[in-house]
Amino acid sequence: MAGIPVAARAYIAGAALCAAACALPALLTGAETPWRALALLAALYAFGEWPARCPLLGRAIGGPVPVGAGSFFPVLLAAALLLPPAAAALVAVPGALVSHVERRPALPRRIWRAAQLAIAAWAAAHAALLLGGPAAVGASDFPYVLLPAAASALIFCLVVTALDGGILAAAERAPVRGAWRGLLPRSLAPHAVHGLAGLMMAVLWRSPYGWPSALFVLLPMYISCWVYAQYHRERAAHQATIRALVQAVDIKDAYTRGHSERVGHASVLIGRELGMDEARLEVIRFAGILHDVGKLGVPTRVLRKDGPLTPEERRVIELHPEYGHEMVRGIGFLGEARAAILHHHERLDGSGYPYGLSGPQIPEAARVVAVADAFDAMTSTRSYRRARPVATAVAELERCAGRQFDPRMVHALVRALDRHGWQTAVTADEPAPRPGTAAPTAPATATPATPASPRGNVPPPGRAAPDSAPDR
Protein backbone atom coordinates (compact mmCIF):
# COMPACT_ATOMS: atom_id res chain seq x y z
CA MET A 1 0.00 0.00 0.00
CA ALA A 2 3.07 2.22 -0.07
CA GLY A 3 2.55 5.30 -2.18
CA ILE A 4 -1.22 5.34 -1.63
CA PRO A 5 -2.53 8.10 0.67
CA VAL A 6 -4.13 7.07 3.96
CA ALA A 7 -7.50 8.44 2.88
CA ALA A 8 -7.39 6.29 -0.26
CA ARG A 9 -6.47 3.20 1.74
CA ALA A 10 -9.45 3.76 4.01
CA TYR A 11 -11.70 4.34 1.00
CA ILE A 12 -10.53 1.10 -0.66
CA ALA A 13 -10.98 -0.85 2.58
CA GLY A 14 -14.49 0.55 2.97
CA ALA A 15 -15.39 -0.37 -0.60
CA ALA A 16 -13.99 -3.89 -0.12
CA LEU A 17 -16.07 -4.40 3.05
CA CYS A 18 -19.17 -3.10 1.27
CA ALA A 19 -18.54 -5.47 -1.66
CA ALA A 20 -18.08 -8.39 0.72
CA ALA A 21 -21.40 -7.56 2.37
CA CYS A 22 -23.09 -7.45 -1.05
CA ALA A 23 -21.73 -10.86 -2.08
CA LEU A 24 -22.04 -12.63 1.28
CA PRO A 25 -25.68 -13.84 0.84
CA ALA A 26 -24.61 -15.90 -2.19
CA LEU A 27 -22.14 -17.82 -0.01
CA LEU A 28 -24.47 -18.63 2.87
CA THR A 29 -25.76 -22.14 3.41
CA GLY A 30 -29.16 -22.59 1.84
CA ALA A 31 -28.73 -19.81 -0.71
CA GLU A 32 -30.05 -20.84 -4.09
CA THR A 33 -27.05 -19.52 -5.99
CA PRO A 34 -26.87 -20.64 -9.65
CA TRP A 35 -23.21 -21.60 -9.39
CA ARG A 36 -22.93 -22.97 -12.92
CA ALA A 37 -24.12 -19.76 -14.57
CA LEU A 38 -22.09 -17.68 -12.09
CA ALA A 39 -18.91 -19.65 -12.83
CA LEU A 40 -19.40 -19.40 -16.59
CA LEU A 41 -19.97 -15.64 -16.47
CA ALA A 42 -17.08 -15.07 -14.05
CA ALA A 43 -14.74 -17.16 -16.25
CA LEU A 44 -15.90 -15.27 -19.33
CA TYR A 45 -15.22 -11.89 -17.71
CA ALA A 46 -11.85 -13.04 -16.39
CA PHE A 47 -10.92 -14.39 -19.82
CA GLY A 48 -11.77 -10.99 -21.29
CA GLU A 49 -9.50 -9.19 -18.81
CA TRP A 50 -6.61 -11.66 -19.07
CA PRO A 51 -5.17 -10.84 -22.56
CA ALA A 52 -3.97 -7.40 -21.43
CA ARG A 53 -1.66 -9.16 -18.93
CA CYS A 54 -0.48 -11.92 -21.25
CA PRO A 55 3.16 -11.31 -22.36
CA LEU A 56 3.04 -14.15 -24.91
CA LEU A 57 -0.01 -12.68 -26.67
CA GLY A 58 1.53 -9.21 -26.50
CA ARG A 59 4.69 -10.44 -28.22
CA ALA A 60 2.60 -12.22 -30.84
CA ILE A 61 0.84 -9.02 -31.94
CA GLY A 62 3.88 -6.81 -31.48
CA GLY A 63 2.72 -4.74 -28.50
CA PRO A 64 0.31 -4.51 -25.59
CA VAL A 65 -3.08 -6.08 -26.16
CA PRO A 66 -5.36 -3.12 -26.96
CA VAL A 67 -8.29 -3.90 -24.65
CA GLY A 68 -9.34 -1.03 -22.46
CA ALA A 69 -10.99 -1.14 -19.05
CA GLY A 70 -14.70 -1.74 -19.43
CA SER A 71 -14.45 -3.69 -22.68
CA PHE A 72 -16.31 -6.62 -21.13
CA PHE A 73 -18.87 -4.77 -19.03
CA PRO A 74 -21.64 -6.44 -21.10
CA VAL A 75 -20.82 -9.67 -19.24
CA LEU A 76 -21.45 -7.94 -15.89
CA LEU A 77 -24.68 -6.36 -17.14
CA ALA A 78 -25.84 -9.71 -18.50
CA ALA A 79 -25.14 -11.17 -15.06
CA ALA A 80 -27.30 -8.43 -13.52
CA LEU A 81 -30.22 -9.64 -15.67
CA LEU A 82 -29.58 -13.37 -15.16
CA LEU A 83 -28.44 -13.79 -11.55
CA PRO A 84 -29.56 -12.77 -8.06
CA PRO A 85 -27.83 -9.57 -6.85
CA ALA A 86 -25.36 -11.33 -4.52
CA ALA A 87 -24.30 -13.75 -7.24
CA ALA A 88 -23.96 -10.92 -9.78
CA ALA A 89 -21.57 -9.18 -7.37
CA LEU A 90 -19.25 -12.20 -7.45
CA VAL A 91 -18.97 -12.31 -11.26
CA ALA A 92 -16.59 -9.36 -11.50
CA VAL A 93 -14.20 -10.41 -8.72
CA PRO A 94 -11.92 -12.98 -10.45
CA GLY A 95 -11.55 -10.86 -13.59
CA ALA A 96 -10.80 -7.70 -11.63
CA LEU A 97 -8.15 -9.50 -9.58
CA VAL A 98 -6.29 -10.61 -12.73
CA SER A 99 -6.83 -7.37 -14.67
CA HIS A 100 -4.01 -5.23 -16.00
CA VAL A 101 -3.09 -2.09 -14.03
CA GLU A 102 -0.85 0.69 -15.30
CA ARG A 103 0.51 1.94 -11.97
CA ARG A 104 1.99 0.33 -8.91
CA PRO A 105 1.25 -0.98 -6.32
CA ALA A 106 -0.96 -3.33 -8.29
CA LEU A 107 -2.69 -5.35 -5.55
CA PRO A 108 -4.63 -2.54 -3.85
CA ARG A 109 -5.66 -1.21 -7.26
CA ARG A 110 -7.00 -4.62 -8.23
CA ILE A 111 -8.81 -4.94 -4.91
CA TRP A 112 -10.36 -1.53 -5.52
CA ARG A 113 -11.40 -2.53 -9.01
CA ALA A 114 -12.98 -5.77 -7.78
CA ALA A 115 -14.86 -3.99 -4.99
CA GLN A 116 -16.09 -1.21 -7.28
CA LEU A 117 -17.43 -3.57 -9.93
CA ALA A 118 -18.96 -5.95 -7.37
CA ILE A 119 -20.93 -3.10 -5.79
CA ALA A 120 -21.99 -1.76 -9.19
CA ALA A 121 -23.13 -5.21 -10.42
CA TRP A 122 -25.02 -5.80 -7.17
CA ALA A 123 -26.84 -2.46 -7.49
CA ALA A 124 -27.57 -3.08 -11.20
CA ALA A 125 -29.00 -6.53 -10.43
CA HIS A 126 -31.26 -5.05 -7.74
CA ALA A 127 -32.57 -2.48 -10.23
CA ALA A 128 -33.27 -5.22 -12.78
CA LEU A 129 -34.94 -7.41 -10.16
CA LEU A 130 -37.25 -4.62 -8.98
CA LEU A 131 -38.50 -4.17 -12.55
CA GLY A 132 -38.88 -7.88 -13.26
CA GLY A 133 -35.84 -8.09 -15.49
CA PRO A 134 -34.99 -11.80 -15.05
CA ALA A 135 -38.60 -12.85 -15.75
CA ALA A 136 -38.82 -10.54 -18.78
CA VAL A 137 -35.57 -11.95 -20.17
CA GLY A 138 -36.77 -15.53 -19.67
CA ALA A 139 -40.08 -14.80 -21.40
CA SER A 140 -38.44 -12.64 -24.12
CA ASP A 141 -40.96 -9.94 -23.19
CA PHE A 142 -40.04 -7.34 -25.78
CA PRO A 143 -40.09 -4.32 -25.68
CA TYR A 144 -40.70 -4.31 -21.90
CA VAL A 145 -37.37 -6.03 -21.27
CA LEU A 146 -35.65 -2.85 -22.47
CA LEU A 147 -36.81 -1.03 -19.32
CA PRO A 148 -35.06 -3.23 -16.71
CA ALA A 149 -32.01 -3.45 -19.00
CA ALA A 150 -31.80 0.33 -19.29
CA ALA A 151 -32.34 0.79 -15.54
CA SER A 152 -29.66 -1.78 -14.81
CA ALA A 153 -27.13 -0.08 -17.11
CA LEU A 154 -27.94 3.36 -15.68
CA ILE A 155 -27.52 2.24 -12.06
CA PHE A 156 -24.28 0.46 -12.96
CA CYS A 157 -22.99 3.65 -14.59
CA LEU A 158 -24.04 5.84 -11.65
CA VAL A 159 -22.36 3.60 -9.07
CA VAL A 160 -19.13 3.26 -11.06
CA THR A 161 -18.83 7.02 -11.64
CA ALA A 162 -19.77 7.83 -8.03
CA LEU A 163 -17.06 5.51 -6.71
CA ASP A 164 -14.56 6.78 -9.31
CA GLY A 165 -15.08 10.35 -8.14
CA GLY A 166 -14.58 9.29 -4.54
CA ILE A 167 -11.28 7.57 -5.25
CA LEU A 168 -10.10 10.58 -7.23
CA ALA A 169 -10.81 12.82 -4.26
CA ALA A 170 -9.10 10.42 -1.86
CA ALA A 171 -6.12 9.18 -3.89
CA GLU A 172 -5.34 12.11 -6.18
CA ARG A 173 -6.41 14.76 -3.66
CA ALA A 174 -8.70 16.25 -6.29
CA PRO A 175 -11.03 19.02 -5.05
CA VAL A 176 -14.25 17.45 -3.77
CA ARG A 177 -16.39 19.75 -5.91
CA GLY A 178 -14.50 18.88 -9.07
CA ALA A 179 -13.77 15.18 -8.49
CA TRP A 180 -16.97 14.03 -10.21
CA ARG A 181 -17.08 16.77 -12.84
CA GLY A 182 -17.47 15.34 -16.33
CA LEU A 183 -17.37 11.67 -15.25
CA LEU A 184 -21.06 10.91 -15.75
CA PRO A 185 -21.54 12.58 -19.17
CA ARG A 186 -18.52 10.70 -20.54
CA SER A 187 -19.77 7.38 -19.16
CA LEU A 188 -23.45 7.39 -20.10
CA ALA A 189 -23.14 6.55 -23.80
CA PRO A 190 -20.61 3.68 -23.41
CA HIS A 191 -22.64 2.15 -20.59
CA ALA A 192 -25.82 2.40 -22.65
CA VAL A 193 -24.12 0.42 -25.43
CA HIS A 194 -22.80 -2.10 -22.92
CA GLY A 195 -26.29 -2.41 -21.45
CA LEU A 196 -27.77 -3.24 -24.85
CA ALA A 197 -25.05 -5.82 -25.49
CA GLY A 198 -25.62 -7.28 -22.03
CA LEU A 199 -29.35 -7.58 -22.76
CA MET A 200 -28.59 -9.40 -26.02
CA MET A 201 -26.30 -11.79 -24.14
CA ALA A 202 -28.93 -12.47 -21.49
CA VAL A 203 -31.70 -13.13 -24.04
CA LEU A 204 -29.49 -15.53 -26.04
CA TRP A 205 -28.37 -17.19 -22.79
CA ARG A 206 -32.01 -17.99 -21.97
CA SER A 207 -32.81 -19.04 -25.54
CA PRO A 208 -32.89 -22.68 -26.73
CA TYR A 209 -29.36 -22.23 -28.06
CA GLY A 210 -28.00 -21.75 -24.54
CA TRP A 211 -24.99 -19.91 -23.22
CA PRO A 212 -22.62 -20.62 -26.18
CA SER A 213 -24.78 -18.45 -28.40
CA ALA A 214 -24.29 -15.52 -26.01
CA LEU A 215 -20.58 -15.52 -26.77
CA PHE A 216 -21.20 -14.23 -30.28
CA VAL A 217 -22.32 -10.90 -28.81
CA LEU A 218 -18.85 -10.31 -27.43
CA LEU A 219 -17.04 -10.59 -30.76
CA PRO A 220 -18.32 -7.31 -32.27
CA MET A 221 -17.93 -5.68 -28.85
CA TYR A 222 -14.31 -6.78 -28.70
CA ILE A 223 -13.64 -5.54 -32.23
CA SER A 224 -15.21 -2.14 -31.48
CA CYS A 225 -13.20 -1.83 -28.26
CA TRP A 226 -10.05 -2.81 -30.14
CA VAL A 227 -10.70 -0.09 -32.72
CA TYR A 228 -11.38 2.41 -29.93
CA ALA A 229 -8.16 1.45 -28.16
CA GLN A 230 -6.23 1.78 -31.43
CA TYR A 231 -7.67 5.28 -31.85
CA HIS A 232 -6.46 6.25 -28.40
CA ARG A 233 -3.05 4.76 -29.08
CA GLU A 234 -2.80 6.80 -32.28
CA ARG A 235 -3.96 9.90 -30.44
CA ALA A 236 -1.29 9.33 -27.79
CA ALA A 237 1.30 9.11 -30.58
CA HIS A 238 0.03 12.43 -31.94
CA GLN A 239 0.36 14.02 -28.52
CA ALA A 240 3.89 12.65 -28.17
CA THR A 241 4.82 14.14 -31.55
CA ILE A 242 3.48 17.54 -30.50
CA ARG A 243 5.28 17.40 -27.15
CA ALA A 244 8.58 16.54 -28.81
CA LEU A 245 8.32 19.48 -31.22
CA VAL A 246 7.34 21.91 -28.45
CA GLN A 247 10.17 20.74 -26.20
CA ALA A 248 12.63 21.26 -29.05
CA VAL A 249 11.40 24.86 -29.48
CA ASP A 250 11.51 25.52 -25.73
CA ILE A 251 15.08 24.24 -25.49
CA LYS A 252 16.21 26.42 -28.38
CA ASP A 253 14.28 29.56 -27.40
CA ALA A 254 14.38 29.64 -23.60
CA TYR A 255 13.00 33.20 -23.57
CA THR A 256 9.53 31.90 -24.42
CA ARG A 257 9.45 28.62 -22.49
CA GLY A 258 5.85 27.64 -21.82
CA HIS A 259 4.52 30.19 -24.30
CA SER A 260 3.42 27.56 -26.83
CA GLU A 261 1.23 25.66 -24.35
CA ARG A 262 -0.45 28.86 -23.18
CA VAL A 263 -1.12 30.00 -26.75
CA GLY A 264 -2.71 26.60 -27.36
CA HIS A 265 -4.91 27.08 -24.29
CA ALA A 266 -5.91 30.61 -25.27
CA SER A 267 -6.67 29.44 -28.81
CA VAL A 268 -9.04 26.80 -27.42
CA LEU A 269 -10.77 29.43 -25.26
CA ILE A 270 -11.36 31.55 -28.36
CA GLY A 271 -12.49 28.60 -30.47
CA ARG A 272 -14.95 27.45 -27.83
CA GLU A 273 -16.50 30.92 -27.65
CA LEU A 274 -16.88 30.79 -31.43
CA GLY A 275 -18.83 27.53 -31.14
CA MET A 276 -16.25 25.18 -32.66
CA ASP A 277 -16.82 21.47 -32.09
CA GLU A 278 -14.43 19.38 -30.00
CA ALA A 279 -12.63 17.84 -32.97
CA ARG A 280 -11.84 21.25 -34.43
CA LEU A 281 -10.86 22.61 -31.01
CA GLU A 282 -8.21 19.89 -30.83
CA VAL A 283 -6.77 21.04 -34.16
CA ILE A 284 -6.89 24.68 -33.01
CA ARG A 285 -4.99 23.67 -29.87
CA PHE A 286 -2.34 21.99 -32.01
CA ALA A 287 -2.11 25.17 -34.09
CA GLY A 288 -1.54 27.30 -31.01
CA ILE A 289 1.01 24.93 -29.53
CA LEU A 290 3.02 24.59 -32.75
CA HIS A 291 2.70 28.13 -34.13
CA ASP A 292 6.39 28.87 -33.45
CA VAL A 293 7.85 25.47 -34.38
CA GLY A 294 9.61 27.20 -37.30
CA LYS A 295 11.97 28.83 -34.81
CA LEU A 296 13.92 25.59 -34.98
CA GLY A 297 15.17 26.88 -38.34
CA VAL A 298 16.17 30.33 -37.01
CA PRO A 299 19.72 30.82 -35.67
CA THR A 300 19.80 30.72 -31.87
CA ARG A 301 21.86 33.92 -31.68
CA VAL A 302 18.98 35.78 -33.34
CA LEU A 303 16.32 34.31 -31.05
CA ARG A 304 18.29 35.11 -27.90
CA LYS A 305 19.62 38.52 -28.91
CA ASP A 306 18.97 41.12 -26.20
CA GLY A 307 19.15 44.24 -28.33
CA PRO A 308 17.16 45.40 -31.38
CA LEU A 309 17.23 43.23 -34.47
CA THR A 310 19.01 44.38 -37.60
CA PRO A 311 17.06 44.44 -40.89
CA GLU A 312 18.83 41.27 -41.96
CA GLU A 313 17.95 39.53 -38.68
CA ARG A 314 14.32 40.61 -39.08
CA ARG A 315 14.22 39.09 -42.54
CA VAL A 316 15.62 35.84 -41.14
CA ILE A 317 13.14 35.63 -38.29
CA GLU A 318 10.22 36.46 -40.58
CA LEU A 319 10.91 33.14 -42.31
CA HIS A 320 9.91 31.11 -39.24
CA PRO A 321 6.23 30.64 -40.30
CA GLU A 322 7.40 29.15 -43.60
CA TYR A 323 9.97 26.99 -41.85
CA GLY A 324 7.28 25.76 -39.50
CA HIS A 325 4.88 24.99 -42.33
CA GLU A 326 7.54 22.95 -44.11
CA MET A 327 8.30 21.02 -40.93
CA VAL A 328 4.68 19.96 -40.37
CA ARG A 329 3.61 19.67 -44.00
CA GLY A 330 3.57 15.87 -43.89
CA ILE A 331 1.77 15.52 -40.52
CA GLY A 332 -1.73 14.79 -41.76
CA PHE A 333 -3.58 14.89 -38.44
CA LEU A 334 -2.76 18.61 -38.01
CA GLY A 335 -5.27 19.59 -40.70
CA GLU A 336 -5.93 23.33 -40.76
CA ALA A 337 -3.32 23.82 -38.03
CA ARG A 338 -0.71 23.81 -40.80
CA ALA A 339 -2.29 26.89 -42.42
CA ALA A 340 -2.42 28.59 -39.01
CA ILE A 341 1.30 27.96 -38.49
CA LEU A 342 2.04 29.52 -41.88
CA HIS A 343 -0.25 32.56 -41.59
CA HIS A 344 -0.42 33.48 -37.87
CA HIS A 345 1.63 36.65 -38.51
CA GLU A 346 -0.62 37.94 -41.27
CA ARG A 347 -2.54 41.10 -40.38
CA LEU A 348 -6.08 42.02 -41.23
CA ASP A 349 -4.94 45.14 -43.12
CA GLY A 350 -2.51 43.14 -45.28
CA SER A 351 0.70 44.43 -43.67
CA GLY A 352 1.71 41.10 -42.13
CA TYR A 353 3.91 38.31 -43.37
CA PRO A 354 4.87 36.00 -45.02
CA TYR A 355 2.40 36.66 -47.88
CA GLY A 356 0.63 39.91 -46.92
CA LEU A 357 -2.83 38.33 -46.86
CA SER A 358 -5.70 40.52 -45.68
CA GLY A 359 -9.20 40.12 -44.24
CA PRO A 360 -10.96 36.84 -45.04
CA GLN A 361 -7.96 35.68 -47.09
CA ILE A 362 -6.32 34.81 -43.75
CA PRO A 363 -7.45 31.34 -42.57
CA GLU A 364 -9.74 31.47 -39.54
CA ALA A 365 -7.43 29.27 -37.47
CA ALA A 366 -4.56 31.68 -38.14
CA ARG A 367 -6.67 34.64 -36.97
CA VAL A 368 -7.45 32.76 -33.76
CA VAL A 369 -3.80 31.96 -33.08
CA ALA A 370 -2.69 35.52 -33.87
CA VAL A 371 -4.86 36.92 -31.06
CA ALA A 372 -3.90 34.17 -28.60
CA ASP A 373 -0.22 34.61 -29.45
CA ALA A 374 -0.20 38.37 -28.98
CA PHE A 375 -2.21 38.16 -25.75
CA ASP A 376 0.18 35.70 -24.11
CA ALA A 377 3.22 37.62 -25.35
CA MET A 378 1.94 40.74 -23.57
CA THR A 379 0.90 39.03 -20.33
CA SER A 380 3.99 36.84 -19.83
CA THR A 381 7.01 37.97 -17.86
CA ARG A 382 10.25 37.40 -19.72
CA SER A 383 13.82 37.75 -18.52
CA TYR A 384 14.09 41.04 -20.45
CA ARG A 385 10.59 42.49 -19.94
CA ARG A 386 7.90 42.49 -17.31
CA ALA A 387 4.39 41.33 -18.10
CA ARG A 388 1.59 43.75 -18.83
CA PRO A 389 -1.62 43.42 -16.82
CA VAL A 390 -4.39 41.42 -18.48
CA ALA A 391 -6.59 44.51 -18.68
CA THR A 392 -3.84 46.43 -20.50
CA ALA A 393 -3.29 43.57 -22.94
CA VAL A 394 -7.02 43.33 -23.65
CA ALA A 395 -7.25 47.09 -24.23
CA GLU A 396 -4.36 46.85 -26.68
CA LEU A 397 -5.96 43.97 -28.56
CA GLU A 398 -9.21 45.93 -28.82
CA ARG A 399 -7.30 48.98 -30.07
CA CYS A 400 -5.72 46.93 -32.83
CA ALA A 401 -8.90 45.02 -33.72
CA GLY A 402 -9.91 45.59 -37.33
CA ARG A 403 -6.39 46.60 -38.35
CA GLN A 404 -4.13 43.86 -37.06
CA PHE A 405 -6.54 41.39 -35.45
CA ASP A 406 -9.95 39.98 -36.33
CA PRO A 407 -12.47 41.72 -34.03
CA ARG A 408 -14.47 38.47 -33.67
CA MET A 409 -11.46 36.70 -32.25
CA VAL A 410 -10.65 39.56 -29.90
CA HIS A 411 -14.21 39.73 -28.59
CA ALA A 412 -14.28 35.94 -28.16
CA LEU A 413 -11.10 36.07 -26.08
CA VAL A 414 -12.52 38.89 -23.94
CA ARG A 415 -15.67 36.86 -23.27
CA ALA A 416 -13.60 33.79 -22.40
CA LEU A 417 -11.39 35.78 -20.03
CA ASP A 418 -14.46 37.19 -18.29
CA ARG A 419 -15.73 33.66 -17.82
CA HIS A 420 -12.56 31.73 -17.00
CA GLY A 421 -9.91 34.31 -16.09
CA TRP A 422 -6.26 33.94 -17.03
CA GLN A 423 -3.27 32.71 -15.08
CA THR A 424 -0.28 34.84 -16.04
CA ALA A 425 3.00 32.98 -16.13
CA VAL A 426 6.72 33.51 -15.92
CA THR A 427 8.85 32.15 -18.74
CA ALA A 428 12.54 31.84 -19.49
CA ASP A 429 14.82 31.78 -16.47
CA GLU A 430 12.90 33.97 -14.03
CA PRO A 431 11.44 32.12 -11.05
CA ALA A 432 7.67 31.82 -10.87
CA PRO A 433 5.94 33.89 -8.19
CA ARG A 434 5.32 32.05 -4.95
CA PRO A 435 1.72 31.12 -4.15
CA GLY A 436 -0.10 34.09 -2.73
CA THR A 437 2.17 36.66 -4.35
CA ALA A 438 1.34 38.66 -7.45
CA ALA A 439 3.26 38.14 -10.64
CA PRO A 440 5.35 41.16 -11.58
CA THR A 441 3.52 43.46 -13.93
CA ALA A 442 4.21 46.68 -15.71
CA PRO A 443 3.24 49.86 -13.87
CA ALA A 444 -0.32 51.00 -14.45
CA THR A 445 0.97 54.16 -16.08
CA ALA A 446 3.07 52.36 -18.64
CA THR A 447 2.34 53.26 -22.22
CA PRO A 448 0.66 50.37 -24.02
CA ALA A 449 2.51 48.97 -26.96
CA THR A 450 1.22 47.24 -30.01
CA PRO A 451 1.18 43.54 -29.20
CA ALA A 452 4.05 41.49 -30.43
CA SER A 453 4.27 37.74 -30.53
CA PRO A 454 7.53 36.02 -29.76
CA ARG A 455 10.29 37.61 -31.84
CA GLY A 456 8.34 36.92 -34.97
CA ASN A 457 5.78 39.73 -34.83
CA VAL A 458 8.15 42.24 -36.37
CA PRO A 459 6.87 44.83 -38.84
CA PRO A 460 7.61 44.85 -42.53
CA PRO A 461 10.56 46.98 -43.62
CA GLY A 462 9.84 50.67 -43.38
CA ARG A 463 7.36 50.41 -40.50
CA ALA A 464 7.95 51.32 -36.92
CA ALA A 465 8.73 48.46 -34.57
CA PRO A 466 5.65 47.43 -32.61
CA ASP A 467 7.62 47.18 -29.40
CA SER A 468 10.82 48.80 -28.28
CA ALA A 469 11.96 45.38 -27.05
CA PRO A 470 10.18 42.82 -29.20
CA ASP A 471 9.39 39.44 -27.70
CA ARG A 472 11.51 36.55 -28.82
Side-chain angles (χ1 to χ4, degrees):
M1 297 287 277
I4 298 179
V6 174
R9 298 181 201 177
Y11 191 85
I12 293 171
L17 289 174
C18 184
C22 293
L24 182 61
L27 304 174
L28 296 177
T29 303
E32 296 182 359
T33 302
W35 287 107
R36 181 172 177 274
L38 191 159
L40 284 170
L41 287 166
L44 187 58
Y45 184 72
F47 180 78
E49 292 285 354
W50 171 76
R53 292 188 65 197
C54 178
L56 181 62
L57 187 56
R59 286 195 295 269
I61 66 172
V65 180
V67 180
S71 300
F72 287 86
F73 279 178
V75 177
L76 304 184
L77 291 166
L81 292 169
L82 294 169
L83 304 177
L90 287 171
V91 170
V93 175
L97 292 178
V98 301
S99 63
H100 175 69
V101 292
E102 296 289 341
R103 297 168 60 186
R104 297 293 184 266
L107 181 59
R109 298 179 192 280
R110 292 193 181 111
I111 292 173
W112 156 250
R113 183 73 172 163
Q116 180 192 36
L117 294 180
I119 296 170
W122 176 86
H126 265 292
L129 189 62
L130 287 172
L131 293 171
V137 168
S140 297
D141 186 3
F142 187 85
Y144 176 77
V145 72
L146 292 173
L147 178 61
S152 176
L154 177 61
I155 294 299
F156 187 92
C157 177
L158 289 173
V159 173
V160 167
T161 53
L163 293 173
D164 273 341
I167 199 67
L168 279 175
E172 305 294 338
R173 297 182 175 88
V176 174
R177 286 187 177 182
W180 287 270
R181 186 175 300 157
L183 289 179
L184 185 58
R186 289 197 300 268
S187 302
L188 278 174
H191 281 90
V193 175
H194 291 155
L196 182 60
L199 173 60
M200 294 168 62
M201 280 192 67
V203 170
L204 288 171
W205 194 289
R206 294 295 191 207
S207 73
Y209 301 102
W211 66 267
S213 64
L215 302 183
F216 288 99
V217 175
L218 290 180
L219 181 60
M221 286 297 299
Y222 181 86
I223 292 173
S224 64
C225 290
W226 183 85
V227 171
Y228 187 69
Q230 288 291 87
Y231 161 75
H232 277 280
R233 179 180 291 179
E234 183 179 352
R235 190 169 183 271
H238 294 172
Q239 299 284 1
T241 301
I242 300 299
R243 281 196 301 271
L245 290 171
V246 171
Q247 286 172 358
V249 175
D250 285 348
I251 290 170
K252 180 161 187 174
D253 187 8
Y255 279 139
T256 56
R257 188 169 297 138
H259 168 72
S260 298
E261 293 287 349
R262 292 193 302 275
V263 172
H265 175 61
S267 298
V268 169
L269 291 180
I270 295 171
R272 189 167 284 123
E273 288 295 326
L274 295 174
M276 295 181 182
D277 60 45
E278 289 300 319
R280 193 175 182 205
L281 284 176
E282 183 77 349
V283 174
I284 292 294
R285 188 175 74 86
F286 287 155
I289 290 175
L290 293 176
H291 72 287
D292 275 341
V293 70
K295 286 183 176 180
L296 293 173
V298 177
T300 304
R301 61 177 178 78
V302 176
L303 291 175
R304 299 190 178 186
K305 184 176 179 180
D306 289 328
L309 298 176
T310 66
E312 180 59 31
E313 289 168 337
R314 288 182 181 277
R315 283 191 290 273
V316 169
I317 208 166
E318 284 181 2
L319 293 173
H320 82 272
E322 295 176 274
Y323 290 156
H325 184 256
E326 286 300 315
M327 289 176 187
V328 302
R329 182 192 293 273
I331 305 179
F333 70 83
L334 289 179
E336 65 177 322
R338 290 172 293 186
I341 292 168
L342 178 62
H343 296 296
H344 71 279
H345 282 303
E346 305 284 2
R347 299 189 177 204
L348 221 61
D349 61 4
S351 64
Y353 62 90
Y355 300 133
L357 302 184
S358 62
Q361 293 178 322
I362 305 172
E364 185 179 42
R367 285 177 272 149
V368 170
V369 173
V371 172
D373 184 18
F375 174 74
D376 184 70
M378 288 190 287
T379 56
S380 299
T381 294
R382 309 292 169 80
S383 59
Y384 58 89
R385 174 186 53 71
R386 290 181 178 272
R388 296 172 177 82
V390 169
T392 301
V394 167
E396 191 64 17
L397 289 174
E398 290 175 335
R399 185 179 73 83
C400 297
R403 179 165 50 91
Q404 181 173 351
F405 305 113
D406 187 328
R408 284 180 62 238
M409 312 309 171
V410 173
H411 296 155
L413 178 61
V414 172
R415 291 195 303 271
L417 294 175
D418 289 341
R419 185 173 303 166
H420 304 289
W422 183 258
Q423 181 64 46
T424 56
V426 175
T427 57
D429 299 322
E430 288 198 352
R434 293 181 180 179
T437 62
T441 58
T445 57
T447 303
T450 303
S453 60
R455 232 346 173 185
N457 202 0
V458 292
R463 287 182 176 265
D467 195 319
S468 57
D471 297 333
R472 293 169 176 75

